[in-house]
C-alpha cells in the first residue's frame, strides 16, 4: 500500500497493490451481491460512486474486445466504456435483475459505508494502519495505476 498526504485536506491518498485490492474485495458482507458489484465497479472498472448507482444489466455488453461496462453519464456527463471483469458479469447474470433496474439500488453514500466496513475488516486482519485511509476513490485511483503499470497508454487511462 502506498500512502501520500493530501495537500488541501486531512487524510491520505491510497494506492492499493493487486494483493491488497483482492483482500478488500474479499472482505465484503457475505451474500451481498450489490456490495460485491459496487466494489468491483470501483476497484476493477474505476467507476465513481454516482456512476456505480447508475449501472444496469443492459450497461454490461459484449463487444469485440470482450465484456464491457458502458458508463452513459460519467463525470461531466461524458460517455465511456471500461472492460468488465469476469467475476462482475457472473454476479450480474446470477442476480436475475430487471434489465433496466440499477445493479446497486442504493444511495452513493452507502457505497462509502461498504468500503469503510471492508477496510476495517482488512485492518483487523492485517494490522496495517494504512487501511484507515482507504475510501471509494482510492479504488478508482488504484485501478488507474494498475492499468498504467500494465502498459496501457496514459491517454487511454485518462479517457
Amino acid at each position: 500500500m502506498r500512502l501520500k498526504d493530501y495537500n488541501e485536506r486531512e487524510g491520505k491518498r491510497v494506492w492499493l497493490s493487486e494483493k491488497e485490492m483482492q483482500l478488500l474485495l474479499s472482505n465484503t458482507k457475505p451474500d451481498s451481491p450489490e456490495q460485491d458489484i459496487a466494489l468491483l465497479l470501483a476497484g476493477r472498472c474505476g467507476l465513481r460512486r454516482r456512476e456505480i448507482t447508475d449501472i444496469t444489466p443492459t450497461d454490461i455488453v459484449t463487444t469485440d474486445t470482450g465484456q464491457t461496462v458502458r458508463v452513459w453519464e460519467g463525470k461531466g456527463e461524458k460517455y465511456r466504456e471500461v472492460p468488465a471483469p469476469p467475476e462482475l458479469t457472473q454476479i450480474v447474470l446470477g442476480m436475475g435483475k430487471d434489465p433496466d433496474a440499477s445493479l446497486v439500488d442504493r444511495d452513493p453514500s452507502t457505497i462509502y459505508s461498504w468500503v469503510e466496513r471492508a477496510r476495517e475488516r482488512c485492518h483487523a486482519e492485517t494490522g496495517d494502519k494504512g487501511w484507515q485511509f482507504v475510501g471509494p476513490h482510492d479504488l478508482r485511483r488504484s485501478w488507474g495505476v494498475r492499468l498504467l503499470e500494465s502498459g496501457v497508454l496514459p491517454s487511454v487511462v485518462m479517457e
Side-chain angles (χ1 to χ4, degrees):
M1 178 179 312
R2 200 173 103 219
L3 305 166
K4 183 177 180 182
D5 287 330
Y6 282 106
N7 294 333
E8 65 282 354
R9 64 182 172 109
E10 293 293 314
K12 298 187 184 320
R13 291 180 183 94
V14 180
W15 291 265
L16 299 174
S17 69
E18 178 57 30
K19 185 177 176 182
E20 290 159 338
M21 181 66 74
Q22 287 175 358
L23 179 62
L24 183 79
L25 294 172
S26 71
N27 270 293
T28 60
K29 184 178 177 183
D31 301 319
S32 176
E34 278 189 314
Q35 191 175 25
D36 290 338
I37 288 169
L39 270 63
L40 283 168
L41 286 170
R44 296 289 189 219
C45 301
L47 271 62
R48 298 172 178 90
R49 287 187 286 170
R50 177 78 249 161
E51 295 167 345
I52 290 168
T53 60
D54 289 342
I55 300 299
T56 67
T58 57
D59 296 328
I60 300 175
V61 298
T62 302
T63 67
D64 291 341
T65 59
Q67 292 293 111
T68 300
V69 177
R70 289 181 170 162
V71 180
W72 293 99
E73 293 183 24
K75 187 176 181 182
E77 305 206 5
K78 293 181 181 175
Y79 173 82
R80 73 178 189 282
E81 295 180 353
V82 294
E87 60 264 39
L88 174 66
T89 55
Q90 289 172 351
I91 295 168
V92 171
L93 290 173
M95 288 179 74
K97 273 217 168 203
D98 177 328
D100 296 318
S102 176
L103 289 171
V104 181
D105 190 19
R106 304 294 175 104
D107 187 86
S109 64
T110 300
I111 296 167
Y112 186 89
S113 297
W114 287 341
V115 172
E116 195 171 54
R117 281 187 232 130
R119 78 178 186 206
E120 288 169 2
R121 290 183 191 112
C122 292
H123 177 248
E125 187 174 324
T126 65
D128 185 342
K129 289 173 50 173
W131 284 106
Q132 68 185 327
F133 299 105
V134 175
H137 194 77
D138 298 309
L139 278 63
R140 176 178 165 76
R141 180 181 298 115
S142 299
W143 167 81
V145 168
R146 275 194 308 285
L147 287 177
L148 292 171
E149 289 172 346
S150 68
V152 176
L153 293 172
S155 60
V156 173
V157 175
M158 288 170 43
E159 188 176 313

